[in-house]
Coordinates of all heavy atoms in Angstrom, one line a residue:
M1 N -11.2 72.8 89.9 CA -12.2 71.8 89.9 C -11.6 70.4 90.4 O -12.0 69.8 91.3 CB -12.9 71.6 88.6 CG -14.2 70.8 88.6 SD -15.5 71.6 89.6 CE -16.8 70.5 89.3
V2 N -10.5 70.0 89.7 CA -9.8 68.8 90.0 C -9.3 68.9 91.4 O -9.4 68.0 92.2 CB -8.7 68.5 89.0 CG1 -7.9 67.3 89.4 CG2 -9.3 68.3 87.6
R3 N -8.6 70.1 91.7 CA -8.0 70.3 93.0 C -9.0 70.2 94.1 O -8.7 69.7 95.1 CB -7.2 71.6 93.0 CG -5.8 71.4 93.2 CD -5.1 72.8 93.1 NE -5.3 73.3 91.7 CZ -5.2 74.6 91.4 NH1 -4.9 75.5 92.4 NH2 -5.3 75.1 90.2
I4 N -10.1 70.8 93.9 CA -11.2 70.8 94.9 C -11.6 69.4 95.2 O -11.7 69.0 96.4 CB -12.4 71.7 94.5 CG1 -12.0 73.2 94.4 CG2 -13.6 71.5 95.4 CD1 -12.9 74.1 93.8
S5 N -11.9 68.6 94.2 CA -12.3 67.2 94.4 C -11.3 66.4 95.1 O -11.6 65.6 96.0 CB -12.6 66.6 93.0 OG -13.6 67.3 92.4
I6 N -10.0 66.5 94.7 CA -9.0 65.7 95.4 C -8.9 66.2 96.8 O -8.8 65.3 97.7 CB -7.7 65.9 94.6 CG1 -7.8 65.1 93.3 CG2 -6.5 65.3 95.4 CD1 -6.6 65.2 92.4
A7 N -8.9 67.4 97.1 CA -8.9 67.9 98.5 C -10.0 67.4 99.3 O -9.9 67.0 100.4 CB -8.9 69.5 98.5
A8 N -11.2 67.3 98.6 CA -12.4 66.8 99.3 C -12.2 65.3 99.7 O -12.6 64.8 100.7 CB -13.6 67.0 98.5
L9 N -11.6 64.6 98.7 CA -11.4 63.1 98.9 C -10.4 62.9 100.0 O -10.5 62.1 100.9 CB -11.0 62.5 97.6 CG -11.0 60.9 97.6 CD1 -12.5 60.4 97.7 CD2 -10.4 60.4 96.4
L10 N -9.3 63.7 100.0 CA -8.3 63.6 101.0 C -8.9 63.9 102.4 O -8.5 63.2 103.3 CB -7.1 64.6 100.7 CG -6.1 64.1 99.7 CD1 -5.1 65.2 99.4 CD2 -5.4 62.8 100.1
A11 N -9.7 64.9 102.4 CA -10.4 65.3 103.7 C -11.2 64.1 104.2 O -11.2 63.7 105.4 CB -11.2 66.5 103.5
L12 N -11.8 63.4 103.3 CA -12.7 62.3 103.6 C -11.8 61.1 104.2 O -12.2 60.5 105.1 CB -13.4 61.8 102.3 CG -14.5 60.8 102.5 CD1 -15.7 61.4 103.1 CD2 -14.8 60.1 101.2
F13 N -10.7 60.9 103.5 CA -9.8 59.9 104.0 C -9.2 60.2 105.4 O -9.2 59.3 106.2 CB -8.6 59.7 103.1 CG -9.0 59.1 101.7 CD1 -8.1 59.2 100.6 CD2 -10.2 58.4 101.6 CE1 -8.5 58.6 99.4 CE2 -10.5 57.9 100.4 CZ -9.6 58.0 99.3
S14 N -8.9 61.5 105.6 CA -8.2 61.8 106.9 C -9.3 61.8 108.0 O -8.9 61.7 109.2 CB -7.5 63.1 106.8 OG -8.4 64.1 106.4
L15 N -10.5 61.9 107.6 CA -11.6 61.8 108.7 C -11.7 60.4 109.2 O -12.1 60.2 110.3 CB -12.9 62.2 108.1 CG -13.2 63.8 108.0 CD1 -14.5 64.0 107.3 CD2 -13.1 64.4 109.4
S16 N -11.3 59.4 108.4 CA -11.4 58.0 108.8 C -10.0 57.4 108.6 O -9.8 56.7 107.6 CB -12.4 57.3 108.1 OG -12.3 57.5 106.7
P17 N -9.1 57.7 109.5 CA -7.7 57.2 109.3 C -7.6 55.7 109.2 O -6.7 55.2 108.5 CB -7.0 57.7 110.6 CG -8.0 58.1 111.5 CD -9.2 58.4 110.7
A18 N -8.5 55.0 109.8 CA -8.4 53.5 109.8 C -9.4 53.0 108.7 O -10.1 52.1 108.9 CB -8.7 52.9 111.1
Y19 N -9.4 53.7 107.6 CA -10.3 53.3 106.6 C -10.0 51.9 106.1 O -8.9 51.5 106.0 CB -10.4 54.3 105.4 CG -9.2 54.4 104.5 CD1 -8.9 53.4 103.5 CD2 -8.3 55.5 104.7 CE1 -7.7 53.6 102.8 CE2 -7.2 55.6 103.9 CZ -6.9 54.7 102.9 OH -5.8 54.8 102.2
A20 N -11.1 51.1 105.9 CA -11.0 49.7 105.6 C -11.8 49.4 104.3 O -12.4 50.3 103.7 CB -11.5 48.9 106.7
A21 N -11.7 48.1 103.9 CA -12.4 47.7 102.7 C -13.9 48.0 102.7 O -14.5 48.3 101.7 CB -12.2 46.2 102.5
T22 N -14.4 48.0 104.0 CA -15.9 48.3 104.1 C -16.2 49.7 103.7 O -17.3 50.0 103.4 CB -16.3 48.0 105.5 OG1 -15.4 48.6 106.4 CG2 -16.4 46.5 105.8
D23 N -15.2 50.6 103.8 CA -15.4 52.0 103.4 C -15.1 52.3 101.9 O -15.7 53.1 101.3 CB -14.5 53.0 104.2 CG -14.8 52.9 105.7 OD1 -16.0 52.8 106.1 OD2 -13.8 52.8 106.5
M24 N -14.1 51.6 101.4 CA -13.5 51.9 100.1 C -14.2 51.0 99.0 O -14.4 51.4 97.9 CB -12.0 51.6 100.1 CG -11.3 52.4 101.2 SD -11.4 54.1 101.0 CE -10.0 54.3 99.9
C25 N -14.4 49.7 99.4 CA -15.0 48.8 98.4 C -16.5 48.8 98.5 O -17.1 47.8 98.8 CB -14.3 47.4 98.6 SG -12.6 47.4 98.2
T26 N -17.0 49.9 98.1 CA -18.5 50.1 98.1 C -18.8 50.7 96.8 O -18.0 51.4 96.1 CB -18.9 51.0 99.2 OG1 -18.4 52.3 99.0 CG2 -18.5 50.5 100.6
D27 N -20.1 50.5 96.3 CA -20.5 51.1 95.1 C -20.4 52.6 95.2 O -20.1 53.3 94.2 CB -22.0 50.7 94.8 CG -22.1 49.3 94.4 OD1 -21.1 48.8 93.8 OD2 -23.2 48.7 94.6
A28 N -20.7 53.2 96.4 CA -20.6 54.7 96.5 C -19.2 55.2 96.3 O -19.0 56.2 95.6 CB -21.1 55.1 97.9
H29 N -18.2 54.5 96.8 CA -16.9 54.9 96.6 C -16.4 54.7 95.2 O -15.7 55.5 94.6 CB -15.9 54.2 97.6 CG -14.5 54.7 97.5 ND1 -14.1 55.9 98.0 CD2 -13.4 54.2 96.9 CE1 -12.8 56.1 97.8 NE2 -12.4 55.1 97.1
M30 N -16.9 53.6 94.6 CA -16.5 53.4 93.2 C -17.1 54.5 92.3 O -16.4 55.0 91.4 CB -17.1 52.0 92.7 CG -16.5 50.8 93.4 SD -14.7 50.7 93.1 CE -14.3 49.3 94.1
Q31 N -18.2 55.0 92.6 CA -18.8 56.1 91.8 C -18.0 57.3 92.0 O -17.8 58.1 91.1 CB -20.3 56.3 92.3 CG -21.3 55.6 91.4 CD -22.7 55.9 91.9 OE1 -23.0 56.9 92.5 NE2 -23.6 55.0 91.5
Q32 N -17.6 57.5 93.3 CA -16.8 58.7 93.6 C -15.5 58.6 92.8 O -15.0 59.7 92.2 CB -16.5 58.7 95.1 CG -15.9 60.0 95.6 CD -15.7 59.9 97.1 OE1 -15.7 58.8 97.7 NE2 -15.6 61.0 97.8
M33 N -14.9 57.5 92.8 CA -13.6 57.3 92.0 C -13.8 57.5 90.6 O -13.0 58.1 89.9 CB -13.1 55.8 92.2 CG -12.7 55.5 93.7 SD -11.2 56.4 94.2 CE -9.9 55.4 93.2
D34 N -14.9 57.0 90.0 CA -15.2 57.2 88.6 C -15.2 58.7 88.3 O -14.7 59.2 87.3 CB -16.5 56.6 88.2 CG -16.5 55.1 88.0 OD1 -15.4 54.6 87.6 OD2 -17.5 54.5 88.2
G35 N -15.9 59.5 89.2 CA -16.0 60.9 89.0 C -14.6 61.6 89.1 O -14.3 62.5 88.3
M36 N -13.8 61.2 90.0 CA -12.5 61.8 90.2 C -11.6 61.5 89.0 O -10.9 62.3 88.5 CB -11.8 61.2 91.4 CG -12.6 61.3 92.7 SD -12.0 62.7 93.7 CE -10.3 62.4 93.7
I37 N -11.7 60.2 88.5 CA -10.8 59.8 87.4 C -11.2 60.5 86.1 O -10.4 60.9 85.3 CB -10.8 58.3 87.2 CG1 -10.0 57.6 88.4 CG2 -10.2 57.9 85.9 CD1 -10.1 56.1 88.5
A38 N -12.5 60.8 86.0 CA -13.0 61.5 84.8 C -12.4 62.9 84.7 O -12.3 63.5 83.7 CB -14.5 61.5 84.8
E39 N -12.1 63.4 85.9 CA -11.6 64.8 85.9 C -10.1 64.9 85.8 O -9.5 66.0 85.7 CB -11.9 65.5 87.3 CG -13.4 65.8 87.4 CD -13.7 66.5 88.7 OE1 -12.8 66.7 89.5 OE2 -14.9 66.8 88.9
M40 N -9.4 63.7 85.7 CA -8.0 63.7 85.6 C -7.5 64.2 84.2 O -8.2 64.0 83.2 CB -7.4 62.3 85.8 CG -7.5 61.8 87.3 SD -7.0 60.1 87.5 CE -5.2 60.2 87.3
T41 N -6.4 65.0 84.2 CA -6.0 65.6 82.9 C -4.7 64.9 82.4 O -4.4 65.0 81.2 CB -5.6 67.1 83.2 OG1 -4.8 67.2 84.3 CG2 -6.9 67.9 83.4
D42 N -4.0 64.1 83.2 CA -2.9 63.4 82.8 C -3.3 62.1 82.2 O -3.7 61.1 82.9 CB -1.9 63.1 84.0 CG -0.6 62.5 83.6 OD1 -0.6 61.7 82.6 OD2 0.4 62.7 84.2
A43 N -3.3 61.9 80.8 CA -3.8 60.8 80.1 C -3.2 59.5 80.6 O -3.9 58.5 80.7 CB -3.6 61.0 78.6
E44 N -1.9 59.5 80.8 CA -1.2 58.3 81.2 C -1.6 57.8 82.5 O -1.9 56.6 82.7 CB 0.3 58.6 81.2 CG 1.2 57.4 80.9 CD 0.7 56.5 79.7 OE1 0.4 57.1 78.6 OE2 0.7 55.3 79.9
K45 N -1.7 58.8 83.5 CA -2.1 58.4 84.9 C -3.6 58.0 84.9 O -4.0 57.2 85.7 CB -1.9 59.6 85.8 CG -0.4 60.0 86.0 CD 0.2 59.0 87.0 CE 1.7 59.3 87.3 NZ 2.3 58.2 87.9
K46 N -4.3 58.7 84.0 CA -5.8 58.4 84.0 C -6.0 56.9 83.5 O -6.8 56.2 84.1 CB -6.4 59.4 83.0 CG -7.9 59.3 83.0 CD -8.5 60.4 82.1 CE -10.0 60.5 82.2 NZ -10.4 61.8 81.5
K47 N -5.2 56.5 82.6 CA -5.3 55.2 82.0 C -5.0 54.2 83.1 O -5.6 53.2 83.3 CB -4.3 55.0 80.9 CG -4.8 54.0 79.8 CD -3.8 54.1 78.6 CE -2.9 52.8 78.6 NZ -1.9 52.9 77.6
E48 N -3.9 54.5 83.9 CA -3.4 53.6 84.9 C -4.5 53.6 86.0 O -4.8 52.5 86.5 CB -2.1 54.3 85.5 CG -1.2 53.3 86.2 CD 0.0 54.0 86.8 OE1 0.6 54.9 86.1 OE2 0.3 53.7 87.9
A49 N -5.0 54.7 86.5 CA -6.0 54.7 87.5 C -7.3 54.0 87.1 O -7.8 53.2 87.9 CB -6.4 56.2 87.8
T50 N -7.7 54.1 85.8 CA -8.9 53.4 85.3 C -8.7 51.9 85.3 O -9.5 51.2 85.8 CB -9.2 53.9 83.9 OG1 -9.3 55.3 83.9 CG2 -10.5 53.2 83.4
M51 N -7.5 51.5 84.9 CA -7.1 50.1 84.9 C -7.2 49.5 86.3 O -7.9 48.5 86.5 CB -5.7 49.9 84.3 CG -5.3 48.5 84.3 SD -3.5 48.3 83.8 CE -2.7 48.8 85.3
H52 N -6.6 50.2 87.3 CA -6.6 49.7 88.6 C -8.0 49.7 89.2 O -8.4 48.9 90.0 CB -5.7 50.5 89.5 CG -4.2 50.1 89.3 ND1 -3.8 48.8 89.5 CD2 -3.2 50.8 88.8 CE1 -2.5 48.8 89.1 NE2 -2.1 50.0 88.7
L53 N -8.8 50.8 88.9 CA -10.1 50.9 89.4 C -11.0 49.7 88.9 O -11.8 49.1 89.6 CB -10.8 52.2 89.1 CG -12.1 52.4 89.8 CD1 -12.0 52.4 91.3 CD2 -12.8 53.7 89.4
D54 N -10.8 49.4 87.6 CA -11.6 48.3 87.0 C -11.2 47.0 87.7 O -12.1 46.1 88.0 CB -11.2 48.2 85.5 CG -12.0 49.2 84.7 OD1 -12.8 49.9 85.2 OD2 -11.6 49.4 83.5
M55 N -9.9 46.8 88.0 CA -9.6 45.5 88.7 C -10.1 45.5 90.1 O -10.5 44.5 90.6 CB -8.0 45.4 88.7 CG -7.5 45.1 87.3 SD -5.8 44.5 87.3 CE -4.9 46.1 87.6
S56 N -10.1 46.7 90.7 CA -10.7 46.8 92.1 C -12.2 46.5 92.1 O -12.6 45.7 93.0 CB -10.5 48.3 92.6 OG -10.9 48.4 93.9
K57 N -12.9 47.0 91.1 CA -14.3 46.7 91.0 C -14.6 45.2 90.7 O -15.5 44.6 91.3 CB -14.9 47.4 89.8 CG -15.2 48.9 90.1 CD -15.7 49.6 88.7 CE -15.9 51.1 88.9 NZ -16.2 51.7 87.7
A58 N -13.7 44.6 89.9 CA -13.9 43.2 89.6 C -13.6 42.4 90.9 O -14.3 41.4 91.1 CB -12.9 42.8 88.5
A59 N -12.6 42.7 91.6 CA -12.3 42.0 92.9 C -13.5 42.2 93.9 O -13.9 41.2 94.5 CB -11.0 42.5 93.5
M60 N -14.0 43.4 93.9 CA -15.1 43.6 94.8 C -16.3 42.7 94.5 O -16.9 42.1 95.3 CB -15.6 45.1 94.7 CG -16.7 45.5 95.7 SD -17.2 47.2 95.7 CE -18.2 47.4 94.2
K61 N -16.6 42.6 93.2 CA -17.7 41.8 92.7 C -17.5 40.3 93.1 O -18.4 39.6 93.3 CB -17.9 41.9 91.2 CG -18.7 43.2 90.8 CD -19.3 43.1 89.5 CE -19.9 44.4 89.0 NZ -19.0 45.1 88.1
A62 N -16.2 39.9 93.0 CA -15.8 38.6 93.3 C -15.7 38.3 94.8 O -15.5 37.2 95.3 CB -14.5 38.2 92.6
G63 N -16.0 39.4 95.6 CA -15.9 39.2 97.1 C -14.5 39.2 97.6 O -14.3 38.8 98.7
D64 N -13.5 39.6 96.8 CA -12.1 39.6 97.2 C -11.8 41.0 97.7 O -11.3 41.9 97.0 CB -11.3 39.2 95.9 CG -9.8 39.3 96.2 OD1 -9.4 39.6 97.4 OD2 -9.0 39.2 95.3
M65 N -12.0 41.2 99.0 CA -11.8 42.5 99.6 C -10.3 42.9 99.7 O -10.0 44.1 99.5 CB -12.4 42.6 101.0 CG -13.9 42.6 100.9 SD -14.6 44.1 100.0 CE -16.0 43.3 99.2
D66 N -9.4 41.9 99.9 CA -8.0 42.2 99.9 C -7.6 42.7 98.5 O -6.8 43.7 98.4 CB -7.2 41.0 100.3 CG -7.3 40.7 101.8 OD1 -7.8 41.6 102.5 OD2 -6.9 39.6 102.1
G67 N -8.0 42.0 97.5 CA -7.7 42.4 96.1 C -8.3 43.8 95.8 O -7.6 44.6 95.1
C68 N -9.5 44.0 96.2 CA -10.1 45.2 96.0 C -9.4 46.4 96.6 O -9.1 47.4 95.9 CB -11.6 45.2 96.6 SG -12.5 46.8 96.4
M69 N -8.9 46.2 97.9 CA -8.2 47.3 98.5 C -6.8 47.5 97.8 O -6.3 48.6 97.7 CB -7.9 46.9 100.0 CG -9.1 47.1 100.9 SD -9.7 48.9 100.8 CE -8.3 49.7 101.8
K70 N -6.2 46.4 97.4 CA -4.9 46.5 96.8 C -5.0 47.3 95.5 O -4.1 48.2 95.3 CB -4.4 45.1 96.5 CG -3.0 45.0 96.0 CD -2.5 43.5 95.9 CE -1.4 43.3 94.9 NZ -1.9 43.2 93.5
H71 N -5.9 47.0 94.7 CA -6.1 47.8 93.4 C -6.6 49.2 93.7 O -6.2 50.1 92.9 CB -7.0 47.0 92.5 CG -6.3 45.8 91.9 ND1 -5.2 45.8 91.2 CD2 -6.6 44.5 92.1 CE1 -4.8 44.6 90.9 NE2 -5.7 43.7 91.4
M72 N -7.4 49.3 94.7 CA -7.9 50.7 95.0 C -6.7 51.6 95.4 O -6.6 52.7 95.0 CB -8.9 50.6 96.2 CG -9.4 51.9 96.7 SD -10.3 52.8 95.4 CE -11.8 51.8 95.3
D73 N -5.8 51.0 96.2 CA -4.6 51.7 96.6 C -3.7 52.1 95.4 O -3.3 53.2 95.3 CB -3.8 50.8 97.5 CG -2.8 51.5 98.4 OD1 -3.2 52.6 98.9 OD2 -1.6 51.1 98.4
E74 N -3.6 51.2 94.4 CA -2.9 51.5 93.2 C -3.5 52.6 92.4 O -2.9 53.5 91.9 CB -2.7 50.2 92.3 CG -1.9 49.1 92.9 CD -0.4 49.6 93.1 OE1 0.1 50.3 92.3 OE2 0.2 49.2 94.1
A75 N -4.9 52.5 92.4 CA -5.6 53.6 91.7 C -5.4 54.9 92.4 O -5.2 55.9 91.7 CB -7.1 53.2 91.7
H76 N -5.4 54.9 93.7 CA -5.2 56.2 94.5 C -3.8 56.7 94.2 O -3.6 57.9 94.0 CB -5.3 56.0 95.9 CG -6.7 55.7 96.4 ND1 -7.0 55.3 97.6 CD2 -7.9 55.8 95.7 CE1 -8.3 55.1 97.7 NE2 -8.9 55.4 96.6
K77 N -2.8 55.9 94.0 CA -1.4 56.3 93.8 C -1.4 56.9 92.4 O -0.7 58.0 92.2 CB -0.4 55.1 93.8 CG 0.0 54.8 95.3 CD 1.0 53.6 95.3 CE 1.1 53.1 96.7 NZ 1.5 51.6 96.7
A78 N -2.0 56.3 91.4 CA -2.0 56.8 90.1 C -2.7 58.2 90.1 O -2.3 59.1 89.3 CB -2.7 55.9 89.1
M79 N -3.6 58.4 91.0 CA -4.3 59.7 91.1 C -3.5 60.7 91.9 O -3.9 61.9 92.1 CB -5.7 59.5 91.7 CG -6.6 58.7 90.9 SD -8.0 58.0 91.8 CE -9.0 59.4 92.1
G80 N -2.3 60.3 92.4 CA -1.5 61.1 93.2 C -2.0 61.3 94.6 O -1.7 62.4 95.3
L81 N -2.8 60.4 95.1 CA -3.4 60.6 96.5 C -2.6 60.1 97.6 O -2.8 60.4 98.8 CB -4.8 59.9 96.5 CG -5.9 60.6 95.7 CD1 -7.2 59.8 95.7 CD2 -6.2 62.0 96.2
N82 N -1.7 59.1 97.3 CA -0.8 58.7 98.4 C 0.5 58.1 97.8 O 0.8 58.3 96.7 CB -1.5 57.7 99.3 CG -2.0 56.5 98.5 OD1 -1.8 56.3 97.3 ND2 -2.7 55.6 99.2
Ligands
LIG101 CU1 -10.8 55.0 96.0

């Protein structure tokens, strides 16, 4: 289940190699991230990913797209995506 979701997300990323804040810093992507993180089994990594996603969401709400992308990237790393 987790493996399928991560593969699906990776496929999504590779379909848009030049993905930008306009693709990642959206409510739709945040929801997708919430779902992915909920499926994580490594408690430590899950905590890290949740923390970065929260900061990413806060930056998005504040209109800080650079900050949003930076924390999104960290969240992805904690999820083992890059
Ligand atoms: Cu993401």
Side-chain angles (χ1 to χ4, degrees):
M1 194 65 175
V2 176
R3 239 173 302 157
I4 291 167
S5 300
I6 290 175
L9 193 69
L10 278 176
L12 189 75
F13 289 162
S14 59
L15 280 176
S16 49
Y19 65 81
T22 47
D23 298 318
M24 310 290 279
C25 293
T26 62
D27 286 333
H29 185 74
M30 293 302 178
Q31 264 181 26
Q32 191 179 19
M33 293 291 287
D34 281 334
M36 303 263 311
I37 290 173
E39 287 181 3
M40 288 174 75
T41 50
D42 184 328
E44 207 46 46
K45 292 281 179 197
K46 187 172 187 169
K47 213 174 103 186
E48 205 182 316
T50 304
M51 180 187 78
H52 285 297
L53 187 63
D54 283 349
M55 289 195 285
S56 184
K57 284 176 182 170
M60 180 175 80
K61 282 205 188 95
D64 174 8
M65 288 302 146
D66 287 345
C68 177
M69 281 305 286
K70 187 171 154 283
H71 290 298
M72 179 61 72
D73 198 47
E74 291 298 321
H76 291 170
K77 278 184 195 151
M79 293 160 76
L81 290 175
N82 54 6

